[in-house]
Amino acid sequence: MSGKLKYTFSEKIWQHSAPGGWYFISLPEKMAKEIRAALQSEEEGWGRLKATAVIGSSQWKTAIWFDTKKNTYLLPLKAEIRKKENLTAGKPVEVTLWL
């Protein structure tokens, strides 16, 4: 598993309001604050942190982005993962992140 720090949480999936908007999971704010304190120096452009995500039986390399409006990191969900794990907006989902 790549990444040194492991975080597990459960949050609802939401869809961005733009037409054909991406699907995301917002990290819990307290967790995001902890991650930012520990790893902000490793962020790339736009508050991007490389991550490995696990949902159900799916594991993939991705990144989380810090959203200043929501004051937390966002995990984008690819269509391929949503389809494979039967994920829809509003559905709570258990996520494990390795950063």
Side-chain angles (χ1 to χ4, degrees):
M1 203 65 57
S2 66
K4 305 171 273 302
L5 301 174
K6 178 183 178 184
Y7 293 91
T8 302
F9 62 96
S10 183
E11 285 290 331
K12 285 185 180 170
I13 298 167
W14 59 275
Q15 185 177 14
H16 191 274
S17 59
W22 280 67
Y23 288 79
F24 295 95
I25 299 173
S26 300
L27 275 66
E29 277 190 41
K30 188 177 178 192
M31 183 182 288
K33 200 173 185 178
E34 187 182 302
I35 292 169
R36 201 136 213 236
L39 299 174
Q40 189 168 12
S41 62
E42 295 182 32
E43 285 181 0
E44 297 172 357
W46 303 292
R48 179 179 180 268
L49 276 176
K50 289 180 183 167
T52 299
V54 180
I55 294 176
S57 62
S58 299
Q59 177 183 317
W60 72 102
K61 290 202 180 308
T62 186
I64 55 175
W65 277 268
F66 193 80
D67 182 332
T68 52
K69 288 184 186 129
K70 293 190 179 289
N71 199 35
T72 189
Y73 287 98
L74 306 180
L75 170 66
L77 287 176
K78 300 177 187 179
E80 167 193 343
I81 302 296
R82 293 195 323 269
K83 195 178 220 175
K84 188 175 172 193
E85 296 297 332
N86 194 24
L87 304 174
T88 54
K91 184 177 184 175
V93 65
E94 176 97 2
V95 180
T96 300
L97 281 180
W98 293 88
L99 303 173

